[in-house]
Amino acid sequence: MSRSGSGRIVVAAGGGVAALKTPFLLRRLREAGYEVRAAASERALRFTTETALAVAAGGPVGTEARWFAPEGGALHLELARWADLMVVAPATAAGLARAAAGLAEDLITATVLAGARRVLWAPAMNPEMWHHPATQANVERLRAWGHAFVGPEHGALAAVGEGEGLGRMSEPETIVEHVRHHLTPKDLEGYTVLVTAGPTREYFDPVRFISNPSSGKMGYAAAEAARDRGARVVLVSGPTHLPDPWGVEVVRVERAQEMYEAMLTRFDEADAVVMAAAVADWRPTETAPEKTPKQAGVNTVELVPTPDILAELGRRKKTGQVLVGFAMETQQGRERARAKLDKKRLDLIALNFPTRAQSAFGSEFNEVELIDPSGHVEVTGLRSKRDVADRILDRIHDLLARKEAERNAQ
Ligand code: CTP
């Protein structure tokens, strides 16, 4: 089952310069799989055009000029009933104030008031306006009614000479992430999921290390997917170029030993562990305190094994906890993965194929075989890492439910 976007989104542009980005948001939402309809306030059309919005939305734009149809339809009612989620991007200070006061004077606030099921505001304004107690009180009021917010963010402001500040509308990609979050069923609510990601670095002097090309994308996708499904998520990450996912507690580590300690201290809180990190199996016996000068001839580095984190978690696993590991194999994949599953006392293992071009290190895609202790194999096929993560979380969800039922029966 894919959890790629599904749902109906009304994107409403308010009257700010950030409305320039609204067509990009519509496009990104459609690319993510959502059905969209665009609406714009009269003022928004000073900053973007109806044509740009219509092309991006792939359909007509709801404007105030066409608010009431000659045959008697009212657009605010139709949009409010159609949408699973209404995204106001950009949301202006005035728009927030009208919504908080229940003033249905324009198409956007009328749609909000007409009962749009859920509303996500993406504010964009001058930082003073954002920080003003009036705006903050309006935001609080809307939040109390269950409305959600994304941004504003800190960065360069649109008006010339205004420099930087907290007032930029979040980028379309970030807004899409929040949309996904709001529309994902919260089937992991109440659970804590501990995820590892990325490589580890085993230093033999302060600037040189043994590592591997893991990008961390698989583990980050798992952390984000678990967050969107309502879990509390702790992500223990080796060095990556990826930004910290919002709404996730991120613990950055470098060495396998640090990852081991970080995991062990948090394991008791975890209902499930997704061990996606590519932990280096070896570390140099010694780390020289200074950079080692170049020497002529053959040089050797003595290596010792790093602690096997997952095996240790398997030893400490308590009834009810779910452990998922990964196996990266270039040959005899299923047998070797199965052996690791047994040895480390796992509930599930995801077998990867690092030498297949499309699912190699760093790819946006992955293809895994999910093997359980009964030997059953589920082949995911090539999918986005997010979809693979969701499939693993579906299995974790079922395992947690089963373990809970077993415990209740005891
Ligand atoms: N793993 C771990 N600690 C290590 C090495 C691996 O926790 N020191 C975890 C990985 O995160 C992965 C699983 O164990 O979830 C299997 O990793 P893999 O490298 O494929 O297996 P190894 O047990 O290291 O065996 P080998 O390298 O011999 O294939």
Side-chain angles (χ1 to χ4, degrees):
M1 174 178 34
S2 159
R3 279 176 206 274
S4 290
S6 83
R8 301 200 285 209
I9 321 281
V10 166
V11 176
V17 67
L20 274 171
K21 291 196 215 164
T22 312
F24 295 98
L25 171 61
L26 283 159
R27 198 193 156 116
R28 295 279 171 275
L29 285 167
R30 285 176 71 199
E31 285 166 356
Y34 295 100
E35 266 185 84
V36 297
R37 287 180 68 177
S41 72
E42 205 57 53
R43 288 196 194 92
L45 297 178
R46 292 190 202 157
F47 299 100
T48 183
T49 68
E50 201 180 323
T51 315
L53 292 166
V55 169
V61 181
T63 60
E64 282 164 9
R66 282 195 292 276
W67 191 337
F68 293 96
E71 57 277 11
L75 196 55
H76 62 297
L77 300 178
E78 190 196 323
L79 291 175
R81 288 169 191 158
W82 179 83
D84 296 314
L85 178 72
M86 176 169 176
V87 181
V88 187
T92 61
L96 294 171
R98 280 194 299 275
L103 277 173
E105 278 175 348
D106 61 303
L107 178 59
I108 298 177
T109 41
T111 308
V112 171
L113 207 71
R117 245 160 291 184
R118 298 184 206 181
V119 185
L120 175 64
W121 300 89
M125 65 193 72
N126 159 284
E128 276 75 27
M129 292 169 80
W130 172 251
H131 289 299
H132 194 284
T135 305
Q136 289 303 308
N138 292 331
V139 168
E140 276 322 301
R141 191 149 202 225
L142 292 166
R143 277 194 208 280
W145 292 338
H147 292 211
F149 285 79
V150 44
E153 293 183 19
H154 187 92
L157 300 165
V160 178
E162 288 295 318
E164 294 199 347
L166 186 71
R168 268 178 81 86
M169 186 172 87
S170 296
E171 290 303 323
E173 291 72 17
T174 309
I175 299 175
V176 174
E177 276 184 36
H178 282 252
V179 165
R180 198 192 291 273
H181 176 71
H182 287 289
L183 291 180
T184 304
K186 303 287 176 267
D187 60 352
L188 293 176
E189 194 139 35
Y191 291 116
T192 296
V193 179
L194 194 52
V195 181
T196 64
T200 63
R201 286 179 179 172
E202 311 304 328
Y203 286 86
F204 49 93
D205 76 19
V207 292
R208 301 189 182 99
F209 51 79
I210 297 172
S211 193
N212 59 65
S214 168
S215 64
K217 287 178 186 164
M218 189 62 239
Y220 279 59
E224 288 169 356
R227 168 203 66 201
D228 288 346
R229 293 169 73 153
R232 173 182 162 244
V233 182
V234 183
L235 172 64
V236 178
S237 173
T240 69
H241 294 291
L242 303 172
D244 287 2
W246 58 271
V248 167
E249 186 192 331
V250 182
V251 182
R252 296 262 176 192
V253 298
E254 275 200 281
R255 298 169 171 81
Q257 182 64 33
E258 290 162 10
M259 188 174 276
Y260 176 83
E261 285 160 18
M263 290 299 283
L264 257 54
T265 51
R266 289 169 179 82
F267 186 50
D268 277 351
E269 309 158 22
D271 297 291
V273 172
V274 179
M275 190 77 200
V279 186
D281 285 325
W282 304 92
R283 69 169 174 83
T285 322
E286 309 265 353
T287 305
E290 304 297 339
K291 187 179 165 204
T292 320
K294 183 161 61 202
Q295 290 165 25
V298 177
N299 205 346
T300 55
V301 181
E302 195 180 60
L303 300 174
V304 287
T306 53
D308 191 321
I309 304 168
L310 200 49
E312 185 55 34
L313 299 182
R315 275 191 283 279
R316 295 176 184 221
K317 182 165 84 165
K318 289 199 283 285
T319 336
Q321 283 183 307
V322 172
L323 269 190
V324 180
F326 280 71
M328 189 158 271
E329 309 293 350
T330 55
Q331 52 161 339
Q332 295 173 304
R334 285 188 188 173
E335 297 88 283
R336 291 174 59 95
R338 185 75 203 280
K340 285 178 191 174
L341 175 104
D342 291 339
K343 195 173 109 210
K344 303 190 188 194
R345 298 187 58 220
L346 309 181
D347 297 281
L348 193 69
I349 194 157
L351 169 61
N352 285 271
F353 306 95
T355 47
R356 289 188 189 166
Q358 293 220 276
S359 57
F361 280 121
S363 166
E364 296 302 325
F365 298 93
N366 203 358
E367 182 175 12
V368 303
E369 294 187 3
L370 299 176
I371 306 175
D372 67 18
S374 75
H376 176 265
V377 180
E378 175 188 340
V379 181
T380 62
L382 192 66
R383 293 157 169 237
S384 70
K385 286 188 170 168
R386 169 67 182 230
D387 280 354
V388 170
D390 267 316
R391 194 55 212 131
I392 292 171
L393 291 169
D394 288 343
R395 298 288 296 266
I396 289 179
H397 174 264
D398 294 349
L399 283 161
L400 286 168
R402 206 169 70 202
K403 291 194 181 209
E404 219 162 85
E406 280 166 13
R407 242 184 329 191
N408 292 340
Q410 276 166 14

